[in-house]
Amino acid sequence: MDYKVDMRDVKFQLFEWLGVEKILAAERFADWDAENVGMVIDEALKIAREQMAACNEEGDRIGAQWNDGAVSVPAPFKPVWDTVREGGWIGLLASPQFGGMGLPESVGTAVNEFFSGSNPSLSLTLMLTRGAGAIIEHFGTDEQKALFIEKLYSGEWAGTMCLTEAQAGSDVGASKTKAVKKPDGRYMISGEKIFITGGDHNLTDNIIHLVLARTPDAPVGTKGQSLFIVPKVRVNADGSLGEPNDVYTNNIEEKMGIHGSPTCTLVFGQNDGCEGFLLGQELEGMKIMFHLMNAARIEVGLQGSAAAGAAHQQALAYAHERLQSRHWKELKNPEAPQVPIVEHPDVRRALLSAKAYTEAMRALLLKTSYYTDMSHITKGEEAERYHSYVEMLTPICKAWCSEWGVQVTHWCLQVHGGYGYTTDYPAEQLMRDAEIATIYEGTNGIQALDFVARKLTLKGGKPVRDLLGRAEATFKKLKDDRELMEPAWMLAAGLKQIETNPWQQLQERY
């Protein structure tokens, strides 16, 4: 796939709209300035175009393979993984203390759009490895940090999150995987997890699984879950690899999309020999896991946005090249030449709609990442306020961006006509790969439940009132602007609808 992205819009949003220089001025990011960040973004796009995109189509056609319990990813993925690993891209946001680059989240969102848009299957393993490292960094003991973090951030080892079981999909509290404590403080893990992204592969020598399991006397439901670090291969005290840890891959799924990503069924403790390390305290598993899940939900929204951006750029290029029919002003002239289909009103409508939604998704994700950065560089009530904005926007990022990601890829496939339905162009793969983002990390219906039941009522509704207040301030600023007054009044109409319907009812209730 010839990966394309609207780099002008990415840099406009990052530098001109958000003003990421304000973030870079903080002591936390003292090693970075706008020029260096621009170079990082340019280099990330180069890798996405020249390497990740170059093996995306082949990876889709070959797919992950499972033979005699061993899983392999498409062969072209390995050298690309090594390039990304050696460049330090997995640790892009991680602290330099653990070998990371220490860049802001907003910059990471821009970079990860390129990686996800150019090769979603491979980027999923990057995402989960980065997430596993971050969770251990925040909740692990000093010993756990020393053993695992740098190996994860460097990509020498990979990571996963293991929640789902056959009887416990969205209802995580119904999980039955067991963890029994040994005298030496470690735990024996036994159970089966399904739909584990990157659960096994040949990209790395070890995979660090974060596994939800239930201790013998744990209460029922989500409150009874604890979280464990379970290496595929046991790790010695000096960080070297020991014996296999009784983690067996029982199957990989045959899927609609993301074929190059191995989605595994993992059996832990089949021979009563699977050891795990408790992460945090017992019964805190879901509390800890939500830190990873919330970050992953934003990145899944980014997956939808990235697919939309890539599909739009592909459709735009095709529409300029494909000659078909006469110009609409010359429909009755049989001698008129064929014109590029971009000249046809319906195609232009589809392309402009795709462009608008792609830019909106990018803006939402970058703004949420910006609020994350602000929560890191401020203190006290101000930091809590920015964190509450991130909490509010997380289910919106996931659900809205993944839903519209699918819709935009559909529009862009339509632009290709019959060719879009063939494998001659990347439109059909982009659409297949985008669909999963509406399902995993909590289906979009669950995101709606989370938003209504938890986020709208967060802190008595103050975060949502603050965000709506910011939108109202935007309207007031632009309502008389010659160029922007029309969308400003459309924004006002949307705000009025919220105020006079569900939001008013929530205010009365809470």
Side-chain angles (χ1 to χ4, degrees):
M1 181 178 77
D2 180 19
Y3 177 67
K4 300 178 177 68
V5 70
D6 187 353
M7 192 62 146
R8 174 69 185 96
D9 186 59
V10 172
K11 288 192 172 182
F12 165 76
Q13 292 204 29
L14 198 58
F15 295 107
E16 299 177 48
W17 175 55
L18 286 179
V20 75
E21 290 90 343
K22 292 180 289 186
I23 301 293
L24 298 175
E27 183 179 353
R28 180 187 180 108
F29 305 112
D31 293 337
W32 294 99
D33 58 29
E35 181 180 359
N36 288 330
V37 166
M39 293 171 63
V40 167
I41 292 173
D42 289 340
E43 181 63 22
L45 181 57
K46 181 180 179 182
I47 292 172
R49 279 177 169 165
E50 295 180 2
Q51 299 195 50
M52 296 193 74
C55 64
N56 184 43
E57 181 180 351
E58 187 176 358
D60 179 65
R61 303 295 176 249
I62 297 172
Q65 304 291 322
W66 178 68
N67 294 297
D68 297 326
V71 179
S72 60
V73 298
F77 280 13
K78 183 61 167 71
V80 180
W81 174 274
D82 290 340
T83 296
V84 173
R85 182 182 73 78
E86 291 162 7
W89 294 100
I90 299 173
L92 186 74
L93 308 177
S95 168
Q97 177 186 353
F98 299 106
M101 293 190 194
L103 277 160
E105 290 278 347
S106 45
V107 177
T109 295
V111 168
N112 291 329
E113 177 185 341
F114 306 155
F115 290 170
S116 183
S118 61
N119 194 321
S121 291
L122 186 56
S123 69
L124 286 170
T125 303
L126 300 175
M127 176 186 80
L128 289 164
T129 299
R130 180 171 60 250
I135 288 298
I136 297 173
E137 180 179 346
H138 282 89
F139 296 99
T141 64
D142 289 342
E143 180 184 8
Q144 290 168 350
K145 292 176 183 179
L147 283 177
F148 301 112
I149 293 180
E150 288 197 33
K151 297 287 181 67
L152 287 166
Y153 285 152
S154 70
E156 183 176 345
W157 297 344
T160 74
M161 53 189 290
C162 301
L163 286 74
T164 306
E165 299 179 12
Q167 77 291 340
S170 301
D171 184 11
V172 179
S175 299
K176 297 179 179 179
T177 297
K178 299 178 181 179
V180 179
K181 192 173 184 179
K182 295 171 58 180
D184 64 3
R186 299 188 184 189
Y187 290 74
M188 300 305 296
I189 310 297
S190 59
E192 181 178 277
K193 299 287 184 178
I194 66 171
F195 295 161
I196 307 306
T197 300
D200 196 12
H201 51 72
N202 58 341
L203 291 171
T204 59
D205 293 333
N206 203 6
I207 301 173
I208 308 305
H209 304 290
L210 299 184
V211 181
L212 280 179
R214 190 179 299 279
T215 50
D217 298 322
V220 298
T222 56
K223 293 182 180 180
Q225 301 287 344
S226 301
L227 188 61
F228 300 88
I229 302 170
V230 182
K232 175 185 174 181
V233 181
R234 294 185 183 182
V235 181
N236 298 320
D238 62 359
S240 62
L241 295 180
E243 298 297 318
N245 194 27
D246 195 12
V247 180
Y248 178 72
T249 304
N250 194 40
N251 181 47
I252 64 172
E253 302 297 335
E254 298 293 332
K255 308 184 296 292
M256 173 180 174
I258 55 170
H259 291 160
S261 174
T263 305
C264 302
T265 298
L266 298 181
V267 180
F268 298 90
Q270 183 172 253
N271 300 305
D272 299 323
C274 181
E275 288 188 341
F277 304 84
L278 179 67
L279 187 58
Q281 302 298 317
E282 285 192 14
L283 309 184
E284 291 186 348
M286 284 303 298
K287 174 184 174 182
I288 296 172
M289 186 60 87
F290 262 115
H291 285 262
L292 175 55
M293 289 175 65
N294 284 337
R297 284 173 174 175
I298 293 174
E299 292 212 39
V300 167
L302 180 62
Q303 183 182 343
S305 174
H312 171 247
Q313 292 296 307
Q314 292 287 338
L316 183 63
Y318 179 83
H320 278 281
E321 297 168 358
R322 171 66 168 164
L323 299 177
Q324 186 74 44
S325 301
R326 297 176 292 278
H327 193 280
W328 63 273
K329 292 181 179 180
E330 298 285 344
L331 286 179
K332 295 183 180 181
N333 179 7
E335 303 298 326
Q338 290 185 326
V339 296
I341 62 173
V342 73
E343 298 291 340
H344 301 318
D346 187 57
V347 173
R348 296 178 73 86
R349 175 201 56 78
L351 291 171
L352 287 169
S353 297
K355 176 180 175 63
Y357 275 96
T358 295
E359 291 179 358
M361 285 185 273
R362 184 179 290 131
L364 173 61
L365 291 157
L366 284 172
K367 190 69 170 182
T368 304
S369 299
Y370 174 85
Y371 287 148
T372 299
D373 289 327
M374 291 300 295
S375 74
H376 291 160
I377 65 175
T378 54
K379 297 180 180 179
E381 291 184 4
E382 187 176 11
E384 290 181 10
R385 175 164 56 87
Y386 283 118
H387 179 69
S388 71
Y389 293 169
V390 176
E391 290 282 298
M392 271 292 305
L393 292 172
T394 292
I396 300 175
C397 284
K398 195 280 184 186
W400 193 79
C401 292
S402 63
E403 287 288 347
W404 282 104
V406 172
Q407 180 60 64
V408 168
T409 60
H410 169 71
W411 288 336
C412 294
L413 187 147
Q414 290 289 112
V415 169
H416 287 77
Y419 285 114
Y421 199 66
T422 73
T423 58
D424 293 350
Y425 292 88
E428 59 87 25
Q429 184 188 343
L430 286 163
M431 188 171 177
R432 285 187 289 105
D433 287 349
E435 178 62 36
I436 185 59
T438 68
I439 299 172
Y440 55 19
E441 298 307 329
T443 64
N444 287 353
I446 287 174
Q447 303 308 309
L449 288 172
D450 177 45
F451 181 74
V452 172
R454 296 190 181 97
K455 303 305 169 62
L456 281 180
T457 59
L458 190 68
K459 298 189 176 185
K462 187 176 186 307
V464 71
R465 285 196 297 269
D466 285 353
L467 290 170
L468 291 173
R470 286 172 174 254
E472 184 177 7
T474 299
F475 158 68
K476 290 178 178 178
K477 179 181 178 180
L478 300 175
K479 65 179 182 177
D480 297 318
D481 186 280
R482 291 179 59 186
E483 294 184 347
L484 296 174
M485 65 163 50
E486 183 177 355
W489 282 96
M490 291 173 68
L491 173 63
L495 289 170
K496 187 66 175 177
Q497 185 179 27
I498 293 172
E499 291 170 0
T500 57
N501 196 6
W503 176 236
Q504 183 178 7
Q505 296 172 19
L506 282 166
Q507 284 182 311
E508 292 172 355
R509 181 176 178 182
Y510 295 100

